[in-house]
Amino acid sequence: MPHFKHKYLDVRRLGSELLLAGLLFLAVFLIASELELADQLYAWTRHLEAYNLDEFLISACLVAPFYLILFGYRRLVEIRALVEEANTDVLTGILNRRRAMDVLAGEVRRAHRYRRDLAIILFDIDHFKDINDEYGHPVGDKVLRQFAALAGRRIRNLDLLARTGGEEFMVIATETSGAGATELAERLRVAIETTGFGIERTVTASFGVSQLRPGESFAALMQRADERLYWAKREGRNRVAGSTL
Ligand SMILES: Nc1nc2c(ncn2[C@@H]2O[C@H](COP(=O)(O)OP(=O)(O)OP(=O)(O)O)[C@@H](O)[C@H]2O)c(=O)[nH]1
């Protein structure tokens, strides 16, 4: 049987839950039949008519399925909120590293399977420690939030932005070549350099870009972008180490 697994709906799991419910129902049904529970219940309730026991039982039977549906729906909403929370970076509201790695692993598989371009950009705010030291942590946090919002506005809808570390971010650029991602990185670099972040100093960032090679693993793709990012840092920061390097 094909195993259809949606983000929130696992069909195999649902099947096993239904099977369990069915078996439980069968067991209770057989016991109830054997003990003639309906007759016994009827005989018992005849003694208690003054207490509206029939109505009580009928109401309970009517309410139970609706309540179960409501209960299930509320759990589903809660689970969705928890999944969302587990995937989101609290400070900036963009995807966190955990989710970004999941998405990237999936995109790498897809790119290999359909022979599509895939590139990533790793970027890191320059001398961020100095910003924290000079203006304090709350201002540093504000810069990080503004930085994430700025980058988010500059990428395509289909690209994905994540915060992968303290002051390190990543763009997963699907259907994009290394040259295209290098151009995007350069545009981001200029946008950051020319944006005021509400502090005296100019905020800049360094970038490392890599394009997926045939048969390459997700880890190798990340490592190449990381090495290029550190090359950009070593060479003086506020620069892009493109994927042709
Ligand atoms: N305000 C704030 N600071 C953070 C957060 N996460 C990490 N940092 C700070 O980011 C700074 C990173 O410093 P470094 O790794 O030395 O890097 P850098 O100063 O940016 O220097 P280069 O990357 O080499 O240009 C540290 O001071 C961390 O405390 C955060 O969520 N909020």
Side-chain angles (χ1 to χ4, degrees), residues 124-125 127-129 132 137 141 163 166-167 233 237:
D124 184 292
I125 306 179
H127 299 303
F128 189 64
K129 189 176 177 306
N132 269 334
H137 225 260
D141 283 355
R163 183 176 176 211
E167 21 56 282
K233 289 273 182 192
R237 297 179 174 80

Side-chain angles (χ1 to χ4, degrees), residues 14-26:
L14 186 67
S16 66
E17 297 287 353
L18 286 175
L19 185 69
L20 184 66
L23 287 174
L24 269 174
F25 175 82
L26 191 66

Side-chain angles (χ1 to χ4, degrees), residues 9-59:
L9 177 67
D10 183 341
V11 169
R12 194 176 283 174
R13 169 94 195 271
L14 186 67
S16 66
E17 297 287 353
L18 286 175
L19 185 69
L20 184 66
L23 287 174
L24 269 174
F25 175 82
L26 191 66
V28 171
F29 178 77
L30 288 175
I31 292 168
S33 304
E34 186 63 31
L35 299 179
E36 295 184 339
L37 274 190
D39 290 347
Q40 291 196 33
L41 188 67
Y42 181 76
W44 181 56
T45 56
R46 291 314 89 197
H47 296 299
L48 298 162
E49 277 198 337
Y51 298 102
N52 284 348
L53 199 64
D54 289 353
E55 285 74 13
F56 176 83
L57 288 174
I58 288 169
S59 304

